[in-house]
Amino acid sequence: MAPDSWAVREDVLAILAVRSFSTRAERVLTAVAAGKQRPTRLVVAVAAQEDPTVRAAVESTCGSVPTVTVFVGPCPNLATVVARALREVTVVEPWVWILHEDSAPTYDCLSELTAVGERSTKLGAVGPKQVGWDDPERLVEVGIRATRSGRRVPEIDVGERDQGQYDIRSDVLGIGTAGMLVRLAAAEEVGWLDTALGPFGDGLEFSRRLRAAGWRVAISPGASIQHERMSFGKGKQSYGKRRAAQLYNSLVAARALWLPFAVLGYVLGGPMRALARLLTKEPALAAQEMSAVGAMIGMLPKALAARAKLRRVRKVPASVIAGLEASGRDVRVGRRARRWARIEAETLANRPDPIVLQERRAWRASTRRWGVFAVVVAAAAGLLATIDILGSELTGGGLLRDSWTFGDLAHSAAHAWLPSGDGLAAPVDALWILLAPFIGLTGSTLGSFASAIVVSGVALSALTGFLGFRVLTNSPQVRALGALGWAFAPPLLAAVSSGHAAAVVWHVLAPLALRAAVVAWRTGSVPALGSAAILLAYMSAAAPATLAPAIVLAVVGFFTRSKGRRHWLWLPIPALAALAPTLRAALNSDAPWRLFASTPGQPVSAAPSKVGLLSFSPTSTVQAPGTLLEAVSLLAPGILLALALLALVRKRNSSSIRAGFALLGTGWAWAAACLAVPTGSIVDGNGYLSARGWAGIGLSLAFLGLLVSLVSAGDGLRTDLKERSFSFVQIGLSAATAAACAATLAFVGAWGLATLKRTPNDVAKLALAEVKSNAAPTIAVSDQKGPKRNRVLVLSTVEGGIQARLWRGNGAELHETSMVASLMPKGDAADLSLTRAIASLAGDSEDFTRTVAEHAVSVVLVKTDDSPANRALVSELDSVDGLEYVTTAEAGSFWRIRQEDHATSRLTAGKGEKWRDLPSGDVSADARIPSSDEGWRVALAERADSGWRASLDGKGLEPVRDGWRQAWRLPSGGGRLEVDFDTGLGLLVAACQAIVAVAAAVTALPLKKRRAGE
């Protein structure tokens, strides 16, 4: 038979769905007209309103094929276009060929499709092999392999070439609609495409319906169609729609018994999948995961209708289709195979030269050796200098004992109330809250963990310095020298000697923050920026002034970086979230700006001289070198400064060297500013002394800048010297290196000598001591932990009078030293109440007992002191009514208030002289009042504040004035009493902080995005 006699088929109606006439549509029309076999008729269904120019363009392009152009109006998907087109024409052909405007059939596509279709009268649909639009040798799809839940088996890799590897396929579970040849009788029996789907999932659902009705669905590997797949968009823009289509197909195919569980699982699993997408740095896909779940819920009625249609047409058992369905294991194996194939290809493509590999191994081995060397030397020096005070817990200087555990710190995060003395509307410092997870992991207390930070600060700084300076140089030797310089930096050594845990934390984390920020700046890395944000949050909690450079860096990054500029705005967010309660409470003080000169912990008395500041020591009072030790303390930093100035002439890394000097100047200015601001008071034998801001944070920044300049100058120095002939340059640089090493060792030598001798001098002094005994009597500690939450009144004689302090724990504790509390003015109603009580010792002693009982005091303690004033105080207390002398122990002499005479609980109820003790917690309380008379009140031994709330059986109580303490009017009767502080707002702030913490952790995780083809 001559070709002209069979070039036009008499049994195929082609339907081409287009949005308008375009170059793609023109290519498809041309391909149909030029095929080995052409359809009987071609219906071009335009999803738009009538347009004569489109009609003329279509008919002029496809003149050799009888063509009908129908305008079906705007349509949401292919199924709607096909349905409307079929209503516009009378179909007499037994086969219908569906074409997309981005799917051009190859020369023999139709002939191969019809050849397969005519092999059996039970073939309901035949699909072609889909190949690339611009590359016919690149495979796109050869039938659909999917699970019952609609998950496709990823069997064709991105860019895989067509080598006939899939040509043995025939019957498949499903085929795509691009180029699908449908038997008219089959479609009329089961119905055409589902209008709920499109552009994804419609072919699979239609194929499954055909299968259920007993029709076969096959692939014709000899037929090819070039498919551009415009609906996929770029990257993963279409993921949400594809996921929604998969969920829809899953619900349609699910067994009836499992349908409710499937719906519930997808609804609950959507947020978890979204979180997983966030973990892999794909926020756009996280949003699409949620939109897919929403779309599935909206399509539930249509899915139920599709299930009903499937039941109506079903003629074969489900086991027939199950034999063609893939399993979840097939999907996992396919994904794993694709992943390993890609990794292997990338490994082979990027595999370096063997000589380069050998050099890399040698470099890694050298890096490990020098890193271990730096850490071991620093650890040995630090432990040697503090070996005689090592213990489970230290005190002295900025350190106080503290028994709080993870649970106590976590509870305090939701309550902006400081349980110290008579309480204060201020949060526990953010640094202690941020350390809570590590305290929980180690099973320690805040006091012991802070002690461990101080003792290990030297070794940890060597480790972080070695890691951080990686962004400045690849030389292990230069990094090790820089790490030792950072570990032996005067600001750190002074912080260790002074027990300043916050300063140690800041110093340890600074090189890591530098590295993360530099990497983010150079590469736009989101994990690096996320790590920098977390590190700056901890550093800002240790020194709130760190917020300023964090915000400046974020703004500069936003306006100067071209890649991921919006990401830089995230940089200060974790720090702001962590400090939000502190900043809010500081606004209530007279000078909130003083917060930015404060640091957590007990204020430290340190007033360095100007020379001390220039030598980077926040505690040195040296004015001029009078001893060898003082001379060394000034000469060592002078040598490093001189070397840094010489480094300015070096061309390599000149920008880094100059940036180091910028940090140096900023740090010195920071330190000087802190010294000018009073931030708290220190208790000593003469009463309260004013304390200034700790200059060590600024000096740590200055010393970091100094080391940035020196390490940057040392980068590539050996290479540069090898290119020169031997001269005085090599001798000078060797001498400079030796001087730098000597200066570094001089720092730790001078510090170690002062600390080992335990003799304070103008250079350094060790303020730490091991906690060996209770600060409070054992019976008092038992009262404090009991249901009454009693306190200890500590009295001591000072010049001009008696000093009083309230202890809620075993002495003053670290968490009580709030930065905000230090900003609050002294001498409020609560303080005056105690002052009047002490003054009454010389007159109405009964008033003393009654007043201190209102402060929840059960024990009065006088520290051991053999001075005449102290003996007189002990004698006065012996004569006070209502006090019972217990004994004199190591902690001092102490008395108990007679419980039968006075109610000493933190929470009491009653009126007049009749009060009843009620159980309480540290902040909140939950007690049952068996009965109460008219006029009773509930009194809480905490400063009155509008944030306190009380309720009886769920009904709020009316606050009333009761001197300095918080009180409420109690109705007659009894019930369950609940007391809490700022519950709603506190929990809201804590919840927001938790959300930011999760987001920060997700941002910092170094997980890579999946590739578009995965």
Side-chain angles (χ1 to χ4, degrees):
M1 186 178 293
D4 289 341
S5 64
W6 49 261
V8 178
R9 302 269 320 181
E10 299 295 337
D11 55 356
V12 177
L13 172 68
I15 298 179
L16 171 60
V18 299
R19 296 181 181 87
S20 64
F21 188 80
S22 63
T23 55
R24 294 185 182 87
E26 183 178 10
R27 175 174 169 178
V28 175
L29 289 170
T30 303
V32 171
K36 182 179 180 181
Q37 289 187 357
R38 298 190 290 272
T40 310
R41 291 184 297 163
L42 173 62
V43 177
V44 179
V46 184
Q49 300 299 331
E50 178 75 30
D51 188 344
T53 59
V54 173
R55 185 186 301 275
V58 169
E59 293 176 353
S60 64
T61 304
C62 198
S64 61
V65 178
T67 305
V68 177
T69 304
V70 295
F71 292 87
V72 297
C75 299
N77 49 42
L78 174 68
T80 306
V81 174
V82 171
R84 292 182 181 180
L86 290 173
R87 288 198 298 266
E88 296 291 330
V89 297
T90 302
V91 183
V92 295
E93 295 84 354
W95 293 99
V96 176
W97 190 23
I98 300 175
L99 296 170
H100 300 182
E101 67 175 310
D102 63 344
S103 57
T106 56
Y107 173 71
D108 54 359
C109 179
L110 181 57
S111 61
E112 292 289 339
L113 288 173
T114 54
V116 173
E118 290 171 347
R119 292 175 186 173
S120 171
T121 58
K122 294 303 293 181
L123 271 167
V126 183
K129 179 194 301 181
Q130 296 185 21
V131 294
W133 179 259
D134 298 319
D135 183 3
E137 297 299 319
R138 178 174 58 86
L139 283 173
V140 173
E141 180 180 290
V142 187
I144 299 174
R145 286 188 66 202
T147 63
R148 179 184 292 271
S149 62
R151 297 167 62 200
R152 289 200 178 197
V153 178
E155 53 189 354
I156 298 178
D157 203 355
V158 177
E160 185 175 341
R161 312 306 292 176
D162 183 9
Q163 299 173 331
Q165 61 268 44
Y166 300 102
D167 287 358
I168 60 172
R169 286 189 175 174
S170 178
D171 281 55
V172 291
L173 175 65
I175 54 177
T177 56
M180 176 189 286
L181 185 66
V182 183
R183 190 182 294 271
L184 181 62
E188 288 179 342
E189 178 183 346
V190 304
W192 283 94
L193 301 175
D194 190 339
T195 56
L197 291 170
F200 308 105
D202 46 1
L204 176 60
E205 191 278 334
F206 182 64
S207 300
R208 189 184 293 275
R209 224 178 325 133
L210 288 171
R211 285 282 181 186
W215 295 94
R216 289 173 55 197
V217 178
I219 191 77
S220 175
S224 297
I225 192 165
Q226 293 180 263
H227 195 187
E228 189 178 11
R229 302 206 292 183
M230 291 190 308
S231 55
F232 274 71
K234 294 182 179 180
K236 293 189 175 182
Q237 294 176 350
S238 62
Y239 174 79
K241 295 180 180 179
R242 287 184 280 129
R243 173 65 176 166
Q246 183 243 312
L247 298 182
Y248 182 91
N249 271 292
S250 175
L251 298 183
V252 172
R255 293 185 174 91
L257 180 64
W258 289 104
L259 180 62
F261 299 101
V263 174
L264 182 62
Y266 290 139
V267 171
L268 297 180
M272 290 186 287
R273 289 175 62 93
L275 179 59
R277 294 294 185 181
L278 290 175
L279 290 175
T280 54
K281 307 297 184 298
E282 297 170 301
L285 291 190
Q288 292 186 61
E289 290 283 0
M290 298 304 297
S291 68
V293 174
M296 180 208 69
I297 296 174
M299 291 192 296
L300 268 178
K302 295 183 179 180
L304 295 177
R307 289 177 60 85
K309 181 187 293 186
L310 187 63
R311 287 196 302 271
R312 286 195 303 269
V313 303
R314 183 178 297 281
K315 293 180 180 179
V316 299
S319 59
V320 175
I321 302 178
L324 295 169
E325 291 173 341
S327 64
R329 183 178 182 276
D330 294 330
V331 177
R332 292 191 296 272
V333 170
R335 288 178 177 173
R336 190 182 308 119
R338 288 182 62 178
R339 184 167 57 251
W340 281 110
R342 176 177 54 80
I343 292 173
E344 184 178 2
E346 290 180 353
T347 302
L348 291 174
N350 300 324
R351 187 175 181 86
D353 184 85
I355 298 178
V356 176
L357 284 175
Q358 183 177 0
E359 291 178 350
R360 286 182 181 177
R361 285 193 292 268
W363 176 79
R364 292 192 186 101
S366 177
T367 299
R368 285 192 294 269
R369 288 194 301 271
W370 282 99
V372 171
F373 167 77
V375 174
V376 169
V377 170
L383 291 176
L384 184 63
T386 58
I387 192 169
D388 60 335
I389 60 168
L390 293 181
S392 59
E393 193 170 5
L394 301 176
T395 187
L399 266 183
L400 295 173
R401 66 178 82 207
D402 203 303
S403 60
W404 268 26
T405 61
F406 168 79
D408 299 315
L409 291 167
H411 184 265
S412 68
H415 296 81
W417 186 259
L418 184 67
S420 172
D422 285 317
L424 191 66
V428 173
D429 282 337
L431 179 61
W432 314 135
I433 305 296
L434 292 178
L435 292 178
F438 304 101
I439 294 172
L441 288 174
T442 56
S444 58
T445 63
L446 175 57
S448 58
F449 193 80
S451 301
I453 288 176
V454 170
V455 172
S456 61
V458 177
L460 290 175
S461 295
L463 176 61
T464 59
F466 190 81
L467 296 175
F469 293 145
R470 173 68 175 80
V471 294
L472 303 176
T473 179
N474 288 327
S475 170
Q477 296 87 355
V478 176
R479 288 170 63 187
L481 183 57
L484 287 175
W486 184 245
F488 300 152
L492 174 66
L493 301 181
V496 172
S497 298
S498 303
H500 206 308
V504 174
V505 169
W506 199 99
H507 191 94
V508 168
L509 297 182
L512 299 181
L514 172 70
R515 174 174 178 170
V518 171
V519 170
W521 188 268
R522 291 174 178 173
T523 66
S525 168
V526 174
L529 189 63
S531 299
I534 292 177
L535 292 166
L536 286 173
Y538 275 86
M539 294 169 66
S540 298
T546 312
L547 272 175
I551 293 174
V552 169
L553 183 58
V555 173
V556 172
F558 177 76
F559 284 106
T560 61
R561 297 292 89 189
S562 58
K563 182 179 180 181
R565 54 184 301 187
R566 289 179 298 176
H567 297 158
W568 283 89
L569 297 179
W570 172 254
L571 190 64
I573 298 301
L576 289 170
L579 286 173
T582 301
L583 295 171
R584 173 171 167 255
L587 293 176
N588 297 323
S589 65
D590 296 333
W593 54 270
R594 288 193 295 150
L595 175 70
F596 297 99
S598 304
T599 51
Q602 176 76 3
V604 177
S605 176
S609 62
K610 294 180 180 179
V611 176
L613 277 181
L614 294 176
S615 65
F616 302 99
S617 174
T619 57
S620 174
T621 57
V622 175
Q623 299 287 353
T627 64
L628 178 62
L629 188 65
E630 294 175 353
V632 169
S633 70
L634 299 181
L635 182 61
I639 292 174
L640 294 182
L641 283 169
L643 294 176
L645 289 172
L646 290 175
L648 288 172
V649 302
R650 184 163 166 76
K651 294 183 179 179
R652 183 194 287 260
N653 300 329
S654 60
S655 59
S656 297
I657 295 172
R658 286 168 173 76
F661 272 90
L663 292 178
L664 175 64
T666 303
W668 267 334
W670 184 344
C674 286
L675 285 176
V677 180
T679 58
S681 56
I682 306 169
V683 179
D684 73 346
N686 296 320
Y688 291 96
L689 297 178
S690 176
R692 302 259 167 191
W694 176 258
I697 303 292
L699 293 178
S700 286
L701 179 63
F703 202 83
L704 179 63
L706 178 65
L707 290 181
V708 165
S709 297
L710 292 174
V711 172
S712 299
D715 178 47
L717 197 58
R718 294 174 60 186
T719 303
D720 293 346
L721 290 178
K722 288 179 181 179
E723 297 175 354
R724 294 172 174 264
S725 58
F726 184 79
S727 63
F728 287 105
V729 175
Q730 281 83 351
I731 298 175
L733 290 175
S734 299
T737 304
C741 295
T744 301
L745 294 175
F747 285 136
V748 72
W751 175 70
L753 186 64
T755 54
L756 281 175
K757 287 186 175 183
R758 305 289 289 179
T759 53
N761 51 59
D762 291 342
V763 177
K765 58 182 178 180
L766 188 64
L768 297 177
E770 183 181 358
V771 174
K772 295 182 178 179
S773 61
N774 287 336
T778 304
I779 191 172
V781 175
S782 178
D783 288 347
Q784 291 168 338
K785 295 180 179 180
K788 295 183 179 182
R789 291 298 195 271
N790 290 131
R791 300 161 192 168
V792 176
L793 175 62
V794 183
L795 301 178
S796 54
T797 55
V798 296
E799 289 186 11
I802 300 174
Q803 185 182 80
R805 286 171 288 162
L806 288 175
W807 287 353
R808 295 199 184 201
N810 190 8
E813 296 196 310
L814 190 59
H815 70 267
E816 299 180 81
T817 58
S818 168
M819 292 183 289
V820 174
S822 300
L823 304 180
M824 298 299 180
K826 307 297 182 183
D828 62 356
D831 294 333
L832 292 176
S833 174
L834 274 180
T835 301
R836 287 193 296 267
I838 295 171
S840 68
L841 286 174
D844 186 1
S845 59
E846 178 64 24
D847 185 59
F848 170 83
T849 309
R850 182 177 59 256
T851 302
V852 297
E854 291 178 354
H855 290 263
V857 172
S858 65
V859 171
V860 178
L861 172 67
V862 177
K863 288 290 189 179
T864 302
D865 184 2
D866 199 33
S867 65
N870 201 67
R871 289 197 299 269
L873 175 60
V874 170
S875 177
E876 288 178 350
L877 290 173
D878 282 334
S879 61
V880 171
D881 293 334
L883 285 184
E884 295 178 341
Y885 174 74
V886 180
T887 187
T888 298
E890 186 176 1
S893 302
F894 62 96
W895 295 256
R896 291 203 73 186
I897 294 179
R898 281 197 291 267
Q899 305 293 311
E900 59 272 17
D901 296 340
H902 301 279
T904 61
S905 177
R906 176 176 175 266
L907 183 66
T908 57
K911 66 177 180 178
E913 299 296 325
K914 183 181 178 183
W915 290 86
R916 178 184 299 172
D917 289 323
L918 297 176
S920 170
D922 290 330
V923 177
S924 58
D926 189 342
R928 178 158 293 279
I929 300 178
S931 63
S932 60
D933 298 331
E934 188 70 28
W936 273 38
R937 289 174 296 166
V938 173
L940 184 69
E942 304 282 358
R943 283 183 171 87
D945 191 272
S946 58
W948 285 110
R949 301 287 185 271
S951 64
L952 188 67
D953 291 335
K955 185 178 180 181
L957 298 181
E958 178 189 355
V960 294
R961 291 186 59 85
D962 189 8
W964 62 272
R965 60 181 179 171
Q966 182 68 42
W968 296 270
R969 181 174 288 107
L970 192 65
S972 58
R976 181 185 178 184
L977 176 66
E978 294 178 281
V979 178
D980 208 345
F981 183 81
D982 202 16
T983 305
L985 186 58
L987 289 176
L988 179 61
V989 171
C992 293
Q993 288 177 321
I995 292 172
V996 172
V998 172
V1002 168
T1003 306
L1005 285 176
L1007 299 177
K1008 297 181 180 179
K1009 293 182 179 180
R1010 296 183 181 181
R1011 302 200 171 192
E1014 293 182 356

